Amino acid sequence: MIVVLKQGASEQQRGDLIEWIKSLGLDVHLSIGKMQTVLGLIGDTATIDTELIEGLAIVESVMRVTEQFKKANRKFHSDDSIFEIGGAKIGDGNFMMIAGPCSVESEEQICAIAESVKASGAQMLRGGAYKPRTSPYDFQGMRDEGIGLLLKAKKLTGLPIVTEIMDLSHLEHFSEVDVIQVGARNMQNMELLKQLGRTKQPILLKRGLSSTLKELLLSAEYIMAGGNEQVILCERGIRTFETATRNTCDIGAVPVLKELSHLPVIVDPSHACGIARYVKPLTLAAVAAGADGIIVEVHNNPEKAMCDGPQSLKPEQFAELVKSVERVREAISS
Amino acid sequence: MIVVLKQGASEQQRGDLIEWIKSLGLDVHLSIGKMQTVLGLIGDTATIDTELIEGLAIVESVMRVTEQFKKANRKFHSDDSIFEIGGAKIGDGNFMMIAGPCSVESEEQICAIAESVKASGAQMLRGGAYKPRTSPYDFQGMRDEGIGLLLKAKKLTGLPIVTEIMDLSHLEHFSEVDVIQVGARNMQNMELLKQLGRTKQPILLKRGLSSTLKELLLSAEYIMAGGNEQVILCERGIRTFETATRNTCDIGAVPVLKELSHLPVIVDPSHACGIARYVKPLTLAAVAAGADGIIVEVHNNPEKAMCDGPQSLKPEQFAELVKSVERVREAISS
Amino acid sequence: MIVVLKQGASEQQRGDLIEWIKSLGLDVHLSIGKMQTVLGLIGDTATIDTELIEGLAIVESVMRVTEQFKKANRKFHSDDSIFEIGGAKIGDGNFMMIAGPCSVESEEQICAIAESVKASGAQMLRGGAYKPRTSPYDFQGMRDEGIGLLLKAKKLTGLPIVTEIMDLSHLEHFSEVDVIQVGARNMQNMELLKQLGRTKQPILLKRGLSSTLKELLLSAEYIMAGGNEQVILCERGIRTFETATRNTCDIGAVPVLKELSHLPVIVDPSHACGIARYVKPLTLAAVAAGADGIIVEVHNNPEKAMCDGPQSLKPEQFAELVKSVERVREAISS
Amino acid sequence: MIVVLKQGASEQQRGDLIEWIKSLGLDVHLSIGKMQTVLGLIGDTATIDTELIEGLAIVESVMRVTEQFKKANRKFHSDDSIFEIGGAKIGDGNFMMIAGPCSVESEEQICAIAESVKASGAQMLRGGAYKPRTSPYDFQGMRDEGIGLLLKAKKLTGLPIVTEIMDLSHLEHFSEVDVIQVGARNMQNMELLKQLGRTKQPILLKRGLSSTLKELLLSAEYIMAGGNEQVILCERGIRTFETATRNTCDIGAVPVLKELSHLPVIVDPSHACGIARYVKPLTLAAVAAGADGIIVEVHNNPEKAMCDGPQSLKPEQFAELVKSVERVREAISS
């Protein structure tokens, strides 16, 4: 249920109303937007008399919110959310290019890639330290040592870093990581989401292989319910019957999510298609559809990459991609 | 199997080689492109000695083609195909906007919509005369009378028309239709495809709800094998578990199809998402991904439309969409 | 909307009520069952005053039917339908084993297989004369000559025959075919379904690769609306992301369809899994789930079969399968 | 790669061969079966000279194993695995019925249900203590208190218990749980699987909503690679486009898994269909297909259940189901 307040409501009046609502056993989420101030009520609102609240002097309107997600819901927060990460912003027209290798393999590799993507225009560096491998016999990643190398690359280039957490037991190693990524296979790892709701860093939440958009928003809600409202949603391709691409990029996810939620929405074209030469068209499609950012895999030697080589761009391809992205962004803003 | 000829090969030498290949019981598809001339061999090539052919003076190289589709295969025809329809072109950089209502409802309706989309920049008019309805109790379309009205709208505006054929028994009514559309549910109606292979008009072939891209190309092959090489491929959304949109637009289909085939590739964002307010972002995504055209539903009174009202654009929305499309096209061409 | 009549209503009273309903512009489907007599109203029943009808002396109850399918709906016809085919019955506890090769290849082949499946206990012979091939270069079937051979096998063994129709233009060749099969790819070929609604033979309707059960029932409705109420529904596997089997057998379709409809429900385990050694477990699963029949591919020489060899059973495997089926049927009947 | 030893090989000879293989840097998995003794080699076997090994006196044959899963592979362990749990066995013909409520709600509820399912013939009690809820606002389960109540029910009835673990941080509470369940959403929680590989209890591994059977086996491999070889595989329905049932029960998973792996395979019909009245047909289908067990939800008051009420059986329905299951099992064994 949301309660939209009249323009002239004072802080005192607003505070009194919030107190009263809390006394009914509900939680109140306050959103002061450019155009309106909204109180989002969370809890068992079924028995609340909407007419009673609508009759209050400072109340403009009352509306029941049927969706199970509230804090992530645009009805609770009509303005686009903007997050500031390492000097760059994402959301509400601010676009972010995130690039880096699938895995951190060595100091030389991660620093070289960091410098080159930075020069090309990336605003954040990605790199896998803990790898979710389908088979137990595959390379598991450099783990906490890998995080250390990412931090070195950050020190060298100034780029903030985003890297995936596989399990809560590793959280202590993530204290200096700028954005913590939750992988597709962990999108419904509720315990992990609850704990990440208690961290301070923004969370990059990847859509599950076969999760509906509603389930993605409910997972975002898990994190936000814990207190961390900085969640970035990421479409990375869904599992379908088509095998020409590794997954099927659900480009419709971009407008749907941006309509239902105020959270920034980005796309991962690398995992979506799994083939380097399709990454550019998918990227430009995502930008044209209104995405707030792109996260893409870049490797200086894709044939020798320890994972996902076939979908990685070479540095020069990434440089060219950034320019194309800028042209498309300009075209849709005019 | 394809045989690439050396630059200097004469028409006589080429003709002799083609004769010899045919004497082996194979069919030969000749493709004279900007950069190279290719002979595409169709039939049982398993026993052909590639070294023997490679040894001929006029032969540059020989390559086995593993894909079952040949005529539709870019290996058989390296240049993009260009089709000319009613004064407009599609393919190889030529982009086509196709618009019109889901169903032809009356002379007044189809003519009004035709005039308005023409003024906005559309190059072809769509309209359903024969409707594929899931339920036998739904409106089945105006049928051949509807085709008559489309022809009136064509006469009035000069716009060529595309409309769907449901069954071979109706083919006689399609003689003046510029482009014959095969709907998603008929993509594997082999008898229909074989007969359309004998017509002269270009065929707009829609991907089946759960057809793979390979199956789409094999259906195109059915038509082309019959002699009609003018096939336009259309991505219109595939069936997945996600229900937020009517179908899931497989934007990756655009780069994949354009790589595997020389045929033009367009996207139908209306059926892909089923919701009017998502049509624009999907359209721009398709354009940015490299599509050769868009086919979109436009109705002057969506709330009263006899079918698919919820996904139809109003004329003014279409006018605005065309301008956005032009800006994105410019951005990706530079 | 359905109108359930009281037990004692006379034929005259029933006739008068039907006349009156028809005068309102509706179609009436009469179902005299073991337990109750039901009038199924088809058409625009939105404005009908249910209380008015409920008030009539001979009316027990009135209920609105929300599903779009009516004649196929169990609410319109509460007893299981029973069809008699060539001396055998299917439905309402009567189970039918249907077996034969994927394609009719020669008189010797089809007669040999017919004799052996008959000896094993099959009640109907299947065989493809017109083949739906994904590629235009694959074997297209013996066509009308193939139907001639099926009729010879029928004459020899007494087994009724079921074979697939690909297109309306071939209908004239099907006059002596006992059951006409509509393949998965033609499940939404509405023109074909409408015409088959005018034939006298039972129709075996296969579920589309990605058709919902509701769409399957609507396709059955298309046929029944045309006048032919003998429709047998067939689950043959649906398309999913899993590739270990050719399709995914949706065993849940059996109880769902039998709950929603009175039509007989059979399963095709051969196409569902595509691998001969999984056919037996799938068959027994279908029987245990309550299917009214099984249609399975049998070939006397699977390695040399012209199509679908990998999923065909050898005659001795089929003989053994029939015995296992009988044991499971006994187990679920007790 | 697997090395099959000749029948007469002595323990000494076998031990020497194993030592030599380990000296090459490989891991050796020994499987002494009824019919043959197999050494399964794990690691980089690409450079191993198979002829060299085949030439050894005690070696029968050598075969490369292409599948990534080894310990779970039937090639490594040709006999069905048998696990003993609380006096009952599962695998190799031993069938297990597992029943209980979706959630543990109170001592009275869990004990009443335990007694009734035990009386009906169940061999293990299930009950959720930690619940994976899609929304953060739904009932999260009684957690460790719930496990305490399950242990009380165990003490009362003698039934061993299986319950789901949501996160590694809870593992300490599972020390007395007989079988630890990994839910569908955690099937690729690699860190969790690795740790469970170090526990002593059997693990019930549920297939992910959209995991392939190969991925399921790789997840089993993760656990087994850690040292715990007691893994029970569970098909619980996969996510598809069909909405008539909650998920689509992939009955083909049973024969496929039993062919590829020696691990026991069970089916969860409750989550597969989500509707109580379809549970019986799905259960009997699973039994007829060859499943080693069934895990089903039973609640003494489904309308008041705190979760999944609609799919729960009442105790009397469960009693009746067990009898039907026994009849079908008898039918397929004869």
Side-chain angles (χ1 to χ4, degrees):
Chain A
M1 185 180 287
I2 58 171
V3 177
V4 183
L5 303 184
K6 286 185 173 144
Q7 291 275 51
S10 74
E11 244 185 85
Q12 175 72 34
Q13 290 171 308
R14 189 178 75 212
D16 289 345
L17 178 55
I18 290 175
E19 280 309 307
W20 176 67
I21 293 171
K22 284 184 170 176
S23 75
L24 299 174
L26 299 167
D27 194 13
V28 179
H29 180 267
L30 173 64
S31 168
I32 300 173
K34 290 196 284 267
M35 300 293 290
Q36 56 184 308
T37 294
V38 172
L39 303 184
L41 277 50
I42 299 175
D44 187 8
T45 60
T47 53
I48 303 271
D49 184 345
T50 57
E51 285 182 26
L52 181 70
I53 301 184
E54 265 173 329
L56 297 174
I58 61 164
V59 171
E60 175 73 51
S61 61
V62 177
M63 193 174 87
R64 288 198 183 278
V65 172
T66 49
E67 296 91 8
Q68 278 189 303
F69 50 94
K70 317 287 177 188
K71 293 188 172 186
N73 204 315
R74 198 177 270 282
K75 291 174 189 169
F76 267 54
H77 187 291
S78 55
D79 298 338
D80 281 355
S81 278
I82 302 173
F83 304 147
E84 206 171 310
I85 305 162
K89 290 186 190 178
I90 183 172
D92 196 32
N94 298 286
F95 188 89
M96 189 174 276
M97 280 299 285
I98 307 164
C102 172
S103 285
V104 175
E105 298 166 15
S106 70
E107 181 172 348
E108 192 274 331
Q109 173 241 23
I110 192 60
C111 289
I113 295 173
E115 284 185 304
S116 98
V117 303
K118 163 126 198 206
S120 298
Q123 289 120 326
M124 181 148 63
L125 174 72
R126 61 145 284 140
Y130 294 83
K131 296 307 300 174
R133 304 324 300 281
T134 308
S135 159
Y137 307 117
D138 289 335
F139 171 56
Q140 303 277 319
M142 294 189 74
R143 304 169 84 79
D144 57 295
E145 195 189 333
I147 293 190
L149 296 181
L150 280 165
L151 290 168
K152 281 192 174 179
K154 172 179 180 181
K155 196 164 172 191
L156 183 70
T157 60
L159 283 176
I161 59 176
V162 54
T163 190
E164 182 173 351
I165 187 169
M166 296 294 305
D167 188 75
L168 272 178
S169 60
H170 307 144
L171 192 50
E172 53 178 319
H173 300 292
F174 283 73
S175 53
E176 292 183 70
V177 168
D178 298 276
V179 173
I180 303 178
Q181 176 175 315
V182 173
R185 292 164 188 78
N186 266 330
M187 195 205 87
Q188 288 191 316
N189 183 339
M190 310 321 195
E191 297 298 322
L192 176 64
L193 301 180
K194 277 191 229 175
Q195 288 303 320
L196 292 177
R198 294 192 187 122
T199 63
K200 291 180 330 302
Q201 299 107 307
I203 307 300
L204 171 55
L205 181 63
K206 287 196 148 190
R207 179 184 189 181
L209 264 63
S210 288
S211 296
T212 59
L213 295 175
K214 176 178 146 180
E215 287 169 339
L216 171 60
L217 289 168
L218 281 171
S219 284
E221 191 73 12
Y222 252 101
I223 299 168
M224 300 177 82
N228 185 347
E229 302 211 351
Q230 297 190 94
V231 180
I232 300 167
L233 308 170
C234 180
E235 160 63 27
R236 43 80 73 213
I238 56 174
R239 181 160 275 189
T240 70
F241 61 84
E242 178 59 66
T243 52
T245 45
R246 184 175 177 176
N247 293 289
T248 298
C249 182
D250 179 8
I251 202 71
V254 177
V256 172
L257 288 173
K258 291 201 72 58
E259 180 180 83
L260 295 177
S261 176
H262 54 90
L263 300 173
V265 178
I266 73 173
V267 175
D268 174 348
S270 307
H271 288 89
C273 62
I275 300 170
R277 56 191 191 276
Y278 301 147
V279 168
K280 178 176 171 184
L282 279 203
T283 298
L284 301 185
V287 173
D292 296 297
I294 293 288
I295 177 167
V296 66
E297 286 185 342
V298 178
H299 198 289
N300 47 3
N301 197 347
E303 292 90 40
K304 297 248 168 78
M306 293 199 69
C307 77
D308 288 348
Q311 66 199 34
S312 299
L313 295 185
K314 294 180 188 176
E316 54 272 23
Q317 291 172 316
F318 177 69
E320 201 254 299
L321 180 68
V322 173
K323 297 200 180 86
S324 303
V325 165
E326 279 161 16
R327 283 195 294 269
V328 175
R329 288 208 65 233
E330 217 182 294
I332 63 168
S333 318
S334 45
Chain B
M1 183 178 288
I2 57 172
V3 178
V4 183
L5 303 184
K6 283 184 173 146
Q7 293 275 51
S10 73
E11 241 184 87
Q12 176 71 35
Q13 290 171 309
R14 191 176 75 213
D16 289 345
L17 179 55
I18 289 174
E19 280 311 304
W20 176 67
I21 293 171
K22 284 182 168 176
S23 75
L24 300 176
L26 299 168
D27 194 14
V28 180
H29 180 270
L30 173 64
S31 169
I32 300 173
K34 289 197 284 269
M35 301 293 290
Q36 55 184 310
T37 294
V38 172
L39 303 183
L41 278 49
I42 298 174
D44 186 7
T45 60
T47 53
I48 303 269
D49 185 343
T50 56
E51 283 183 26
L52 181 71
I53 301 185
E54 262 172 332
L56 298 174
I58 61 164
V59 171
E60 175 74 48
S61 62
V62 177
M63 193 174 86
R64 289 198 181 278
V65 173
T66 48
E67 296 90 10
Q68 279 189 300
F69 50 93
K70 318 287 177 187
K71 293 189 172 186
N73 204 315
R74 198 176 270 283
K75 291 175 189 168
F76 268 52
H77 187 292
S78 56
D79 298 338
D80 282 354
S81 278
I82 303 174
F83 304 145
E84 205 171 312
I85 304 162
K89 289 186 189 177
I90 184 171
D92 195 33
N94 299 287
F95 189 89
M96 190 174 274
M97 282 297 286
I98 306 164
C102 172
S103 284
V104 176
E105 297 166 15
S106 70
E107 182 174 346
E108 191 273 330
Q109 173 242 22
I110 191 60
C111 289
I113 294 173
E115 284 184 306
S116 101
V117 302
K118 165 129 196 202
S120 298
Q123 288 121 328
M124 180 147 64
L125 175 72
R126 61 144 285 140
Y130 295 83
K131 296 306 302 173
R133 306 323 300 282
T134 308
S135 159
Y137 307 117
D138 290 335
F139 170 56
Q140 305 276 319
M142 294 188 74
R143 304 168 83 78
D144 57 295
E145 195 190 332
I147 292 190
L149 294 182
L150 280 166
L151 290 169
K152 282 193 175 178
K154 172 180 180 180
K155 194 162 172 190
L156 182 71
T157 61
L159 284 176
I161 58 175
V162 55
T163 191
E164 182 173 350
I165 187 168
M166 295 295 304
D167 188 77
L168 274 177
S169 60
H170 307 146
L171 191 49
E172 51 176 320
H173 300 291
F174 282 74
S175 52
E176 291 183 70
V177 168
D178 298 276
V179 173
I180 302 177
Q181 177 175 315
V182 173
R185 293 165 187 77
N186 266 331
M187 195 204 89
Q188 290 191 315
N189 182 338
M190 310 321 193
E191 297 298 324
L192 176 64
L193 300 180
K194 277 190 228 176
Q195 288 304 321
L196 291 177
R198 296 195 185 120
T199 64
K200 292 183 325 302
Q201 299 105 311
I203 307 298
L204 171 55
L205 180 64
K206 288 197 150 188
R207 179 186 189 178
L209 262 63
S210 288
S211 297
T212 60
L213 295 175
K214 176 178 146 178
E215 288 169 339
L216 170 61
L217 289 169
L218 281 172
S219 284
E221 191 73 14
Y222 252 101
I223 299 168
M224 299 177 83
N228 184 349
E229 302 211 351
Q230 296 190 95
V231 180
I232 300 167
L233 308 170
C234 180
E235 160 62 27
R236 42 77 76 213
I238 57 174
R239 181 159 275 188
T240 70
F241 61 85
E242 178 58 68
T243 51
T245 46
R246 184 175 176 177
N247 293 288
T248 298
C249 182
D250 180 9
I251 201 70
V254 177
V256 173
L257 289 173
K258 291 201 73 55
E259 181 180 84
L260 295 177
S261 175
H262 54 89
L263 301 173
V265 178
I266 72 173
V267 175
D268 173 349
S270 308
H271 287 90
C273 63
I275 299 172
R277 56 189 192 278
Y278 300 147
V279 167
K280 179 177 171 182
L282 279 204
T283 298
L284 300 186
V287 173
D292 296 296
I294 293 287
I295 176 167
V296 64
E297 288 187 339
V298 179
H299 198 289
N300 47 4
N301 197 347
E303 292 90 41
K304 297 247 168 82
M306 294 199 70
C307 77
D308 287 349
Q311 66 200 33
S312 300
L313 296 186
K314 294 179 187 175
E316 55 270 24
Q317 292 173 316
F318 178 68
E320 201 254 300
L321 180 68
V322 173
K323 296 200 180 84
S324 302
V325 164
E326 278 161 16
R327 282 195 295 269
V328 175
R329 290 207 64 234
E330 219 183 290
I332 63 168
S333 318
S334 46
Chain C
M1 184 182 289
I2 58 172
V3 177
V4 183
L5 302 184
K6 284 189 174 142
Q7 291 275 53
S10 72
E11 241 185 89
Q12 175 72 35
Q13 290 171 309
R14 188 178 76 212
D16 289 344
L17 178 54
I18 290 174
E19 280 308 309
W20 175 67
I21 293 172
K22 285 182 167 177
S23 75
L24 300 175
L26 299 168
D27 194 14
V28 180
H29 179 268
L30 173 63
S31 168
I32 300 173
K34 290 196 283 267
M35 301 292 290
Q36 55 183 311
T37 295
V38 172
L39 303 184
L41 278 50
I42 298 175
D44 188 6
T45 60
T47 53
I48 304 271
D49 183 345
T50 55
E51 283 182 28
L52 181 71
I53 301 184
E54 262 171 333
L56 297 174
I58 60 165
V59 172
E60 175 73 50
S61 63
V62 177
M63 193 174 88
R64 288 197 183 279
V65 172
T66 48
E67 295 90 9
Q68 279 190 301
F69 52 94
K70 316 287 176 187
K71 293 189 172 184
N73 205 317
R74 197 176 270 281
K75 291 175 190 168
F76 267 52
H77 188 290
S78 55
D79 298 339
D80 281 355
S81 277
I82 302 173
F83 304 146
E84 206 170 311
I85 304 165
K89 291 186 188 176
I90 184 173
D92 196 31
N94 299 287
F95 188 88
M96 188 175 276
M97 280 300 285
I98 307 164
C102 172
S103 284
V104 176
E105 297 167 15
S106 70
E107 182 173 348
E108 192 273 332
Q109 173 241 22
I110 192 62
C111 289
I113 294 173
E115 284 184 305
S116 101
V117 302
K118 163 127 197 204
S120 298
Q123 289 120 328
M124 181 148 64
L125 175 71
R126 62 145 284 141
Y130 294 84
K131 295 307 301 174
R133 302 326 298 281
T134 309
S135 159
Y137 307 117
D138 290 338
F139 171 56
Q140 303 275 319
M142 293 188 75
R143 302 168 84 79
D144 56 295
E145 195 188 335
I147 292 190
L149 295 182
L150 281 165
L151 290 168
K152 281 195 173 173
K154 172 179 180 180
K155 196 161 173 195
L156 184 70
T157 60
L159 284 176
I161 59 175
V162 55
T163 189
E164 182 175 350
I165 187 169
M166 296 294 305
D167 187 76
L168 273 178
S169 60
H170 306 146
L171 191 50
E172 53 178 317
H173 300 291
F174 283 73
S175 52
E176 291 182 72
V177 169
D178 299 275
V179 174
I180 303 178
Q181 177 176 315
V182 173
R185 291 164 188 80
N186 266 331
M187 195 205 88
Q188 289 190 315
N189 183 339
M190 310 322 195
E191 297 298 323
L192 176 64
L193 301 179
K194 277 189 227 175
Q195 287 305 320
L196 292 176
R198 297 197 183 117
T199 64
K200 292 182 327 302
Q201 299 106 309
I203 308 298
L204 172 54
L205 180 64
K206 287 196 148 189
R207 179 185 188 180
L209 263 63
S210 289
S211 296
T212 60
L213 294 175
K214 177 178 144 179
E215 286 169 340
L216 170 60
L217 289 168
L218 280 172
S219 284
E221 191 73 14
Y222 251 101
I223 300 168
M224 299 176 85
N228 185 347
E229 301 212 349
Q230 297 190 97
V231 180
I232 301 167
L233 307 170
C234 180
E235 160 62 26
R236 44 78 73 213
I238 56 174
R239 179 160 278 188
T240 70
F241 61 85
E242 178 59 66
T243 52
T245 45
R246 184 174 176 178
N247 293 289
T248 298
C249 183
D250 179 8
I251 201 71
V254 178
V256 172
L257 289 173
K258 291 200 72 57
E259 182 181 83
L260 296 177
S261 176
H262 53 91
L263 300 174
V265 178
I266 73 174
V267 175
D268 174 349
S270 308
H271 287 90
C273 61
I275 299 172
R277 57 189 192 276
Y278 300 147
V279 168
K280 179 176 173 184
L282 279 204
T283 297
L284 301 185
V287 173
D292 297 295
I294 293 287
I295 176 168
V296 64
E297 287 186 341
V298 179
H299 199 287
N300 47 3
N301 199 347
E303 291 91 39
K304 299 246 168 82
M306 294 201 68
C307 76
D308 287 348
Q311 66 201 34
S312 300
L313 294 186
K314 294 179 187 176
E316 55 270 25
Q317 291 172 316
F318 177 69
E320 202 254 300
L321 180 69
V322 174
K323 296 200 179 85
S324 302
V325 165
E326 279 160 16
R327 282 194 296 268
V328 175
R329 287 209 64 233
E330 218 183 293
I332 62 168
S333 318
S334 46
Chain D
M1 183 181 288
I2 58 172
V3 177
V4 182
L5 302 184
K6 285 188 172 140
Q7 292 276 50
S10 72
E11 243 185 87
Q12 174 71 36
Q13 290 171 309
R14 189 177 75 213
D16 289 343
L17 178 54
I18 290 174
E19 280 310 306
W20 175 67
I21 294 172
K22 283 184 170 179
S23 74
L24 299 175
L26 298 169
D27 195 13
V28 179
H29 180 267
L30 173 64
S31 169
I32 300 173
K34 291 198 282 270
M35 300 294 290
Q36 55 183 310
T37 295
V38 172
L39 303 185
L41 278 48
I42 299 174
D44 186 7
T45 60
T47 53
I48 303 270
D49 184 344
T50 56
E51 283 182 28
L52 182 71
I53 300 184
E54 261 171 333
L56 296 175
I58 61 165
V59 172
E60 175 75 47
S61 61
V62 178
M63 192 175 85
R64 289 198 182 277
V65 174
T66 48
E67 296 90 8
Q68 277 188 303
F69 50 94
K70 316 288 176 187
K71 293 188 172 184
N73 204 318
R74 199 177 268 282
K75 293 175 189 168
F76 266 52
H77 188 289
S78 55
D79 299 339
D80 281 355
S81 276
I82 302 173
F83 304 146
E84 207 171 310
I85 304 164
K89 291 186 188 177
I90 183 172
D92 196 31
N94 300 286
F95 188 90
M96 189 175 276
M97 282 298 285
I98 306 164
C102 171
S103 282
V104 175
E105 297 168 16
S106 70
E107 181 171 349
E108 192 274 332
Q109 173 241 23
I110 192 61
C111 289
I113 295 173
E115 284 184 306
S116 100
V117 303
K118 163 128 196 200
S120 297
Q123 289 121 327
M124 180 148 65
L125 175 71
R126 61 144 285 138
Y130 294 83
K131 296 307 302 175
R133 303 327 297 281
T134 309
S135 159
Y137 307 117
D138 290 337
F139 170 57
Q140 304 276 319
M142 293 188 74
R143 302 169 84 80
D144 57 295
E145 195 188 334
I147 292 190
L149 295 182
L150 281 165
L151 290 168
K152 280 194 174 178
K154 172 179 180 179
K155 194 163 175 190
L156 183 69
T157 61
L159 284 175
I161 59 175
V162 55
T163 190
E164 183 174 348
I165 186 169
M166 296 294 306
D167 187 77
L168 274 177
S169 59
H170 306 147
L171 191 50
E172 53 177 320
H173 300 292
F174 282 73
S175 53
E176 292 183 68
V177 168
D178 298 274
V179 174
I180 303 177
Q181 176 175 315
V182 173
R185 291 164 188 78
N186 265 331
M187 195 205 87
Q188 290 190 315
N189 183 338
M190 310 320 193
E191 296 299 322
L192 176 64
L193 300 179
K194 278 191 228 176
Q195 287 304 320
L196 292 177
R198 297 197 183 117
T199 64
K200 294 182 325 302
Q201 299 105 308
I203 308 297
L204 172 54
L205 180 64
K206 288 197 149 190
R207 178 185 189 179
L209 264 62
S210 287
S211 296
T212 61
L213 294 175
K214 177 178 145 178
E215 288 169 338
L216 171 60
L217 289 169
L218 281 172
S219 284
E221 191 74 14
Y222 251 101
I223 299 168
M224 299 177 85
N228 184 349
E229 302 212 351
Q230 298 191 94
V231 180
I232 300 166
L233 308 171
C234 180
E235 159 64 24
R236 42 80 73 215
I238 56 174
R239 179 160 276 188
T240 70
F241 60 86
E242 178 59 65
T243 51
T245 45
R246 184 174 176 178
N247 292 287
T248 296
C249 182
D250 179 9
I251 202 71
V254 177
V256 173
L257 289 173
K258 291 199 74 55
E259 181 181 83
L260 295 178
S261 177
H262 55 90
L263 300 173
V265 179
I266 73 173
V267 175
D268 173 349
S270 308
H271 287 88
C273 61
I275 300 171
R277 57 189 192 278
Y278 299 148
V279 168
K280 178 176 173 183
L282 279 205
T283 296
L284 300 186
V287 174
D292 297 296
I294 295 287
I295 177 168
V296 65
E297 287 186 339
V298 179
H299 199 289
N300 46 4
N301 197 347
E303 291 92 41
K304 297 246 170 78
M306 294 200 67
C307 77
D308 288 349
Q311 64 200 35
S312 298
L313 295 185
K314 292 180 187 173
E316 54 272 22
Q317 292 173 316
F318 177 68
E320 202 254 301
L321 181 69
V322 173
K323 296 201 181 84
S324 302
V325 165
E326 279 160 16
R327 283 194 294 269
V328 175
R329 288 208 66 232
E330 218 182 291
I332 64 169
S333 317
S334 46

